[in-house]
PDB file of all heavy atoms in Angstrom:
ATOM      1  N   SER A 128       3.171  -2.054   6.295  1.00 36.00           N
ATOM      2  CA  SER A 128       4.570  -2.476   6.426  1.00 36.00           C
ATOM      3  C   SER A 128       5.005  -3.276   5.204  1.00 36.00           C
ATOM      4  O   SER A 128       4.181  -3.745   4.416  1.00 36.00           O
ATOM      5  CB  SER A 128       4.780  -3.312   7.683  1.00 36.00           C
ATOM      6  OG  SER A 128       4.120  -4.559   7.516  1.00 36.00           O
ATOM      7  N   SER A 129       6.291  -3.443   5.039  1.00 42.00           N
ATOM      8  CA  SER A 129       6.791  -4.195   3.906  1.00 42.00           C
ATOM      9  C   SER A 129       6.329  -5.640   3.968  1.00 42.00           C
ATOM     10  O   SER A 129       6.159  -6.296   2.939  1.00 42.00           O
ATOM     11  CB  SER A 129       8.311  -4.118   3.845  1.00 42.00           C
ATOM     12  OG  SER A 129       8.883  -4.684   5.019  1.00 42.00           O
ATOM     13  N   GLY A 130       6.090  -6.154   5.144  1.00 46.00           N
ATOM     14  CA  GLY A 130       5.571  -7.516   5.283  1.00 46.00           C
ATOM     15  C   GLY A 130       4.170  -7.659   4.698  1.00 46.00           C
ATOM     16  O   GLY A 130       3.856  -8.677   4.077  1.00 46.00           O
ATOM     17  N   VAL A 131       3.340  -6.651   4.916  1.00 44.00           N
ATOM     18  CA  VAL A 131       1.987  -6.671   4.343  1.00 44.00           C
ATOM     19  C   VAL A 131       2.099  -6.600   2.836  1.00 44.00           C
ATOM     20  O   VAL A 131       1.423  -7.380   2.118  1.00 44.00           O
ATOM     21  CB  VAL A 131       1.140  -5.492   4.879  1.00 44.00           C
ATOM     22  CG1 VAL A 131      -0.190  -5.428   4.150  1.00 44.00           C
ATOM     23  CG2 VAL A 131       0.935  -5.622   6.372  1.00 44.00           C
ATOM     24  N   ALA A 132       2.970  -5.743   2.334  1.00 50.00           N
ATOM     25  CA  ALA A 132       3.146  -5.640   0.879  1.00 50.00           C
ATOM     26  C   ALA A 132       3.618  -6.977   0.313  1.00 50.00           C
ATOM     27  O   ALA A 132       3.147  -7.401  -0.750  1.00 50.00           O
ATOM     28  CB  ALA A 132       4.135  -4.524   0.566  1.00 50.00           C
ATOM     29  N   ALA A 133       4.485  -7.652   1.020  1.00 54.00           N
ATOM     30  CA  ALA A 133       4.979  -8.963   0.537  1.00 54.00           C
ATOM     31  C   ALA A 133       3.853  -9.972   0.542  1.00 54.00           C
ATOM     32  O   ALA A 133       3.718 -10.784  -0.405  1.00 54.00           O
ATOM     33  CB  ALA A 133       6.134  -9.444   1.413  1.00 54.00           C
ATOM     34  N   ALA A 134       3.011  -9.968   1.571  1.00 53.00           N
ATOM     35  CA  ALA A 134       1.885 -10.916   1.626  1.00 53.00           C
ATOM     36  C   ALA A 134       0.896 -10.622   0.527  1.00 53.00           C
ATOM     37  O   ALA A 134       0.348 -11.547  -0.117  1.00 53.00           O
ATOM     38  CB  ALA A 134       1.224 -10.845   2.995  1.00 53.00           C
ATOM     39  N   ILE A 135       0.654  -9.339   0.282  1.00 54.00           N
ATOM     40  CA  ILE A 135      -0.276  -8.969  -0.784  1.00 54.00           C
ATOM     41  C   ILE A 135       0.327  -9.361  -2.140  1.00 54.00           C
ATOM     42  O   ILE A 135      -0.396  -9.878  -3.018  1.00 54.00           O
ATOM     43  CB  ILE A 135      -0.586  -7.477  -0.710  1.00 54.00           C
ATOM     44  CG1 ILE A 135      -1.441  -7.207   0.542  1.00 54.00           C
ATOM     45  CG2 ILE A 135      -1.334  -7.012  -1.965  1.00 54.00           C
ATOM     46  CD1 ILE A 135      -1.562  -5.771   0.887  1.00 54.00           C
ATOM     47  N   ALA A 136       1.616  -9.169  -2.307  1.00 59.00           N
ATOM     48  CA  ALA A 136       2.261  -9.553  -3.569  1.00 59.00           C
ATOM     49  C   ALA A 136       2.130 -11.062  -3.784  1.00 59.00           C
ATOM     50  O   ALA A 136       1.869 -11.518  -4.891  1.00 59.00           O
ATOM     51  CB  ALA A 136       3.714  -9.124  -3.556  1.00 59.00           C
ATOM     52  N   LYS A 137       2.292 -11.840  -2.708  1.00 65.00           N
ATOM     53  CA  LYS A 137       2.145 -13.288  -2.787  1.00 65.00           C
ATOM     54  C   LYS A 137       0.720 -13.659  -3.192  1.00 65.00           C
ATOM     55  O   LYS A 137       0.512 -14.513  -4.047  1.00 65.00           O
ATOM     56  CB  LYS A 137       2.553 -13.917  -1.449  1.00 65.00           C
ATOM     57  CG  LYS A 137       2.729 -15.395  -1.466  1.00 65.00           C
ATOM     58  CD  LYS A 137       3.255 -15.857  -0.128  1.00 65.00           C
ATOM     59  CE  LYS A 137       3.435 -17.356  -0.106  1.00 65.00           C
ATOM     60  NZ  LYS A 137       3.908 -17.822   1.229  1.00 65.00           N
ATOM     61  N   ALA A 138      -0.243 -13.032  -2.566  1.00 61.00           N
ATOM     62  CA  ALA A 138      -1.654 -13.288  -2.907  1.00 61.00           C
ATOM     63  C   ALA A 138      -1.942 -12.871  -4.339  1.00 61.00           C
ATOM     64  O   ALA A 138      -2.653 -13.563  -5.088  1.00 61.00           O
ATOM     65  CB  ALA A 138      -2.580 -12.551  -1.935  1.00 61.00           C
ATOM     66  N   THR A 139      -1.397 -11.732  -4.744  1.00 62.00           N
ATOM     67  CA  THR A 139      -1.605 -11.254  -6.114  1.00 62.00           C
ATOM     68  C   THR A 139      -1.028 -12.231  -7.129  1.00 62.00           C
ATOM     69  O   THR A 139      -1.620 -12.472  -8.172  1.00 62.00           O
ATOM     70  CB  THR A 139      -0.969  -9.846  -6.286  1.00 62.00           C
ATOM     71  OG1 THR A 139      -1.598  -8.966  -5.353  1.00 62.00           O
ATOM     72  CG2 THR A 139      -1.179  -9.322  -7.671  1.00 62.00           C
ATOM     73  N   ALA A 140       0.145 -12.803  -6.804  1.00 69.00           N
ATOM     74  CA  ALA A 140       0.743 -13.793  -7.696  1.00 69.00           C
ATOM     75  C   ALA A 140      -0.180 -15.011  -7.845  1.00 69.00           C
ATOM     76  O   ALA A 140      -0.355 -15.559  -8.945  1.00 69.00           O
ATOM     77  CB  ALA A 140       2.098 -14.220  -7.180  1.00 69.00           C
ATOM     78  N   GLU A 141      -0.810 -15.405  -6.762  1.00 69.00           N
ATOM     79  CA  GLU A 141      -1.731 -16.539  -6.821  1.00 69.00           C
ATOM     80  C   GLU A 141      -2.964 -16.164  -7.657  1.00 69.00           C
ATOM     81  O   GLU A 141      -3.494 -16.955  -8.431  1.00 69.00           O
ATOM     82  CB  GLU A 141      -2.130 -16.972  -5.419  1.00 69.00           C
ATOM     83  CG  GLU A 141      -3.040 -18.172  -5.381  1.00 69.00           C
ATOM     84  CD  GLU A 141      -2.424 -19.452  -5.891  1.00 69.00           C
ATOM     85  OE1 GLU A 141      -1.181 -19.555  -5.983  1.00 69.00           O
ATOM     86  OE2 GLU A 141      -3.195 -20.407  -6.189  1.00 69.00           O
ATOM     87  N   VAL A 142      -3.421 -14.935  -7.490  1.00 61.00           N
ATOM     88  CA  VAL A 142      -4.584 -14.474  -8.266  1.00 61.00           C
ATOM     89  C   VAL A 142      -4.196 -14.472  -9.769  1.00 61.00           C
ATOM     90  O   VAL A 142      -5.002 -14.851 -10.610  1.00 61.00           O
ATOM     91  CB  VAL A 142      -5.030 -13.091  -7.797  1.00 61.00           C
ATOM     92  CG1 VAL A 142      -6.055 -12.475  -8.770  1.00 61.00           C
ATOM     93  CG2 VAL A 142      -5.658 -13.194  -6.397  1.00 61.00           C
ATOM     94  N   ASP A 143      -2.969 -14.038 -10.074  1.00 70.00           N
ATOM     95  CA  ASP A 143      -2.517 -14.038 -11.464  1.00 70.00           C
ATOM     96  C   ASP A 143      -2.550 -15.461 -12.021  1.00 70.00           C
ATOM     97  O   ASP A 143      -2.871 -15.649 -13.171  1.00 70.00           O
ATOM     98  CB  ASP A 143      -1.131 -13.447 -11.571  1.00 70.00           C
ATOM     99  CG  ASP A 143      -1.114 -11.933 -11.408  1.00 70.00           C
ATOM    100  OD1 ASP A 143      -2.177 -11.314 -11.541  1.00 70.00           O
ATOM    101  OD2 ASP A 143      -0.035 -11.384 -11.142  1.00 70.00           O
ATOM    102  N   ARG A 144      -2.204 -16.401 -11.166  1.00 76.00           N
ATOM    103  CA  ARG A 144      -2.242 -17.812 -11.597  1.00 76.00           C
ATOM    104  C   ARG A 144      -3.687 -18.236 -11.898  1.00 76.00           C
ATOM    105  O   ARG A 144      -3.956 -19.044 -12.778  1.00 76.00           O
ATOM    106  CB  ARG A 144      -1.657 -18.719 -10.522  1.00 76.00           C
ATOM    107  CG  ARG A 144      -1.437 -20.143 -10.977  1.00 76.00           C
ATOM    108  CD  ARG A 144      -0.916 -20.997  -9.842  1.00 76.00           C
ATOM    109  NE  ARG A 144      -1.908 -21.270  -8.815  1.00 76.00           N
ATOM    110  CZ  ARG A 144      -2.962 -22.049  -8.954  1.00 76.00           C
ATOM    111  NH1 ARG A 144      -3.181 -22.678 -10.077  1.00 76.00           N
ATOM    112  NH2 ARG A 144      -3.809 -22.230  -7.973  1.00 76.00           N
ATOM    113  N   LEU A 145      -4.627 -17.641 -11.149  1.00 73.00           N
ATOM    114  CA  LEU A 145      -6.045 -17.962 -11.334  1.00 73.00           C
ATOM    115  C   LEU A 145      -6.713 -17.092 -12.398  1.00 73.00           C
ATOM    116  O   LEU A 145      -7.901 -17.163 -12.606  1.00 73.00           O
ATOM    117  CB  LEU A 145      -6.785 -17.812  -9.992  1.00 73.00           C
ATOM    118  CG  LEU A 145      -6.342 -18.765  -8.904  1.00 73.00           C
ATOM    119  CD1 LEU A 145      -6.942 -18.365  -7.583  1.00 73.00           C
ATOM    120  CD2 LEU A 145      -6.716 -20.192  -9.258  1.00 73.00           C
ATOM    121  N   ARG A 146      -5.935 -16.228 -13.033  1.00 74.00           N
ATOM    122  CA  ARG A 146      -6.475 -15.295 -14.005  1.00 74.00           C
ATOM    123  C   ARG A 146      -7.363 -15.934 -15.076  1.00 74.00           C
ATOM    124  O   ARG A 146      -8.358 -15.340 -15.451  1.00 74.00           O
ATOM    125  CB  ARG A 146      -5.342 -14.480 -14.650  1.00 74.00           C
ATOM    126  CG  ARG A 146      -5.901 -13.346 -15.510  1.00 74.00           C
ATOM    127  CD  ARG A 146      -4.875 -12.295 -15.788  1.00 74.00           C
ATOM    128  NE  ARG A 146      -4.264 -11.678 -14.641  1.00 74.00           N
ATOM    129  CZ  ARG A 146      -4.811 -10.757 -13.855  1.00 74.00           C
ATOM    130  NH1 ARG A 146      -6.018 -10.349 -14.108  1.00 74.00           N
ATOM    131  NH2 ARG A 146      -4.173 -10.243 -12.832  1.00 74.00           N
ATOM    132  N   PRO A 147      -7.049 -17.144 -15.601  1.00 79.00           N
ATOM    133  CA  PRO A 147      -7.968 -17.709 -16.614  1.00 79.00           C
ATOM    134  C   PRO A 147      -9.395 -17.832 -16.103  1.00 79.00           C
ATOM    135  O   PRO A 147     -10.324 -17.515 -16.839  1.00 79.00           O
ATOM    136  CB  PRO A 147      -7.329 -19.066 -16.930  1.00 79.00           C
ATOM    137  CG  PRO A 147      -5.879 -18.876 -16.614  1.00 79.00           C
ATOM    138  CD  PRO A 147      -5.851 -17.945 -15.434  1.00 79.00           C
ATOM    139  N   SER A 148      -9.571 -18.283 -14.859  1.00 78.00           N
ATOM    140  CA  SER A 148     -10.932 -18.375 -14.375  1.00 78.00           C
ATOM    141  C   SER A 148     -11.533 -16.997 -14.156  1.00 78.00           C
ATOM    142  O   SER A 148     -12.749 -16.785 -14.335  1.00 78.00           O
ATOM    143  CB  SER A 148     -11.003 -19.199 -13.061  1.00 78.00           C
ATOM    144  OG  SER A 148     -10.286 -18.565 -12.037  1.00 78.00           O
ATOM    145  N   PHE A 149     -10.689 -16.015 -13.783  1.00 69.00           N
ATOM    146  CA  PHE A 149     -11.157 -14.650 -13.672  1.00 69.00           C
ATOM    147  C   PHE A 149     -11.665 -14.147 -14.978  1.00 69.00           C
ATOM    148  O   PHE A 149     -12.728 -13.503 -15.079  1.00 69.00           O
ATOM    149  CB  PHE A 149     -10.019 -13.753 -13.120  1.00 69.00           C
ATOM    150  CG  PHE A 149     -10.297 -12.304 -13.282  1.00 69.00           C
ATOM    151  CD1 PHE A 149     -11.141 -11.640 -12.415  1.00 69.00           C
ATOM    152  CD2 PHE A 149      -9.729 -11.578 -14.301  1.00 69.00           C
ATOM    153  CE1 PHE A 149     -11.402 -10.293 -12.541  1.00 69.00           C
ATOM    154  CE2 PHE A 149     -10.004 -10.217 -14.479  1.00 69.00           C
ATOM    155  CZ  PHE A 149     -10.841  -9.594 -13.571  1.00 69.00           C
ATOM    156  N   LEU A 150     -10.890 -14.389 -16.042  1.00 78.00           N
ATOM    157  CA  LEU A 150     -11.299 -13.918 -17.375  1.00 78.00           C
ATOM    158  C   LEU A 150     -12.593 -14.577 -17.833  1.00 78.00           C
ATOM    159  O   LEU A 150     -13.438 -13.947 -18.413  1.00 78.00           O
ATOM    160  CB  LEU A 150     -10.170 -14.161 -18.386  1.00 78.00           C
ATOM    161  CG  LEU A 150      -8.899 -13.300 -18.144  1.00 78.00           C
ATOM    162  CD1 LEU A 150      -7.803 -13.729 -19.096  1.00 78.00           C
ATOM    163  CD2 LEU A 150      -9.217 -11.836 -18.273  1.00 78.00           C
ATOM    164  N   ALA A 151     -12.740 -15.860 -17.504  1.00 81.00           N
ATOM    165  CA  ALA A 151     -13.969 -16.567 -17.846  1.00 81.00           C
ATOM    166  C   ALA A 151     -15.141 -15.964 -17.096  1.00 81.00           C
ATOM    167  O   ALA A 151     -16.237 -15.768 -17.650  1.00 81.00           O
ATOM    168  CB  ALA A 151     -13.836 -18.046 -17.533  1.00 81.00           C
ATOM    169  N   SER A 152     -14.939 -15.621 -15.812  1.00 79.00           N
ATOM    170  CA  SER A 152     -15.994 -14.975 -15.027  1.00 79.00           C
ATOM    171  C   SER A 152     -16.341 -13.619 -15.606  1.00 79.00           C
ATOM    172  O   SER A 152     -17.506 -13.245 -15.682  1.00 79.00           O
ATOM    173  CB  SER A 152     -15.553 -14.821 -13.574  1.00 79.00           C
ATOM    174  OG  SER A 152     -15.322 -16.047 -12.970  1.00 79.00           O
ATOM    175  N   THR A 153     -15.317 -12.883 -16.021  1.00 78.00           N
ATOM    176  CA  THR A 153     -15.559 -11.565 -16.583  1.00 78.00           C
ATOM    177  C   THR A 153     -16.322 -11.669 -17.887  1.00 78.00           C
ATOM    178  O   THR A 153     -17.260 -10.918 -18.128  1.00 78.00           O
ATOM    179  CB  THR A 153     -14.203 -10.853 -16.845  1.00 78.00           C
ATOM    180  OG1 THR A 153     -13.515 -10.735 -15.596  1.00 78.00           O
ATOM    181  CG2 THR A 153     -14.411  -9.456 -17.439  1.00 78.00           C
ATOM    182  N   ARG A 154     -15.958 -12.665 -18.734  1.00 82.00           N
ATOM    183  CA  ARG A 154     -16.704 -12.858 -19.977  1.00 82.00           C
ATOM    184  C   ARG A 154     -18.140 -13.241 -19.673  1.00 82.00           C
ATOM    185  O   ARG A 154     -19.083 -12.731 -20.330  1.00 82.00           O
ATOM    186  CB  ARG A 154     -16.025 -13.948 -20.822  1.00 82.00           C
ATOM    187  CG  ARG A 154     -14.870 -13.423 -21.641  1.00 82.00           C
ATOM    188  CD  ARG A 154     -14.425 -14.414 -22.702  1.00 82.00           C
ATOM    189  NE  ARG A 154     -13.864 -15.608 -22.096  1.00 82.00           N
ATOM    190  CZ  ARG A 154     -12.584 -15.722 -21.658  1.00 82.00           C
ATOM    191  NH1 ARG A 154     -11.780 -14.715 -21.759  1.00 82.00           N
ATOM    192  NH2 ARG A 154     -12.163 -16.865 -21.158  1.00 82.00           N
ATOM    193  N   ALA A 155     -18.376 -14.090 -18.674  1.00 83.00           N
ATOM    194  CA  ALA A 155     -19.727 -14.477 -18.321  1.00 83.00           C
ATOM    195  C   ALA A 155     -20.504 -13.258 -17.855  1.00 83.00           C
ATOM    196  O   ALA A 155     -21.691 -13.107 -18.177  1.00 83.00           O
ATOM    197  CB  ALA A 155     -19.699 -15.568 -17.241  1.00 83.00           C
ATOM    198  N   CYS A 156     -19.872 -12.426 -17.091  1.00 80.00           N
ATOM    199  CA  CYS A 156     -20.511 -11.201 -16.635  1.00 80.00           C
ATOM    200  C   CYS A 156     -20.871 -10.294 -17.791  1.00 80.00           C
ATOM    201  O   CYS A 156     -21.974  -9.752 -17.870  1.00 80.00           O
ATOM    202  CB  CYS A 156     -19.610 -10.473 -15.640  1.00 80.00           C
ATOM    203  SG  CYS A 156     -20.332  -9.004 -14.934  1.00 80.00           S
TER     204      CYS A 156
END
Side-chain angles (χ1 to χ4, degrees):
S128 69
S129 61
V131 174
I135 291 167
K137 192 174 179 182
T139 301
E141 183 65 17
V142 169
D143 287 342
R144 190 183 70 72
L145 296 170
R146 189 161 304 282
S148 63
F149 166 78
L150 293 174
S152 297
T153 301
R154 277 192 294 278
C156 182

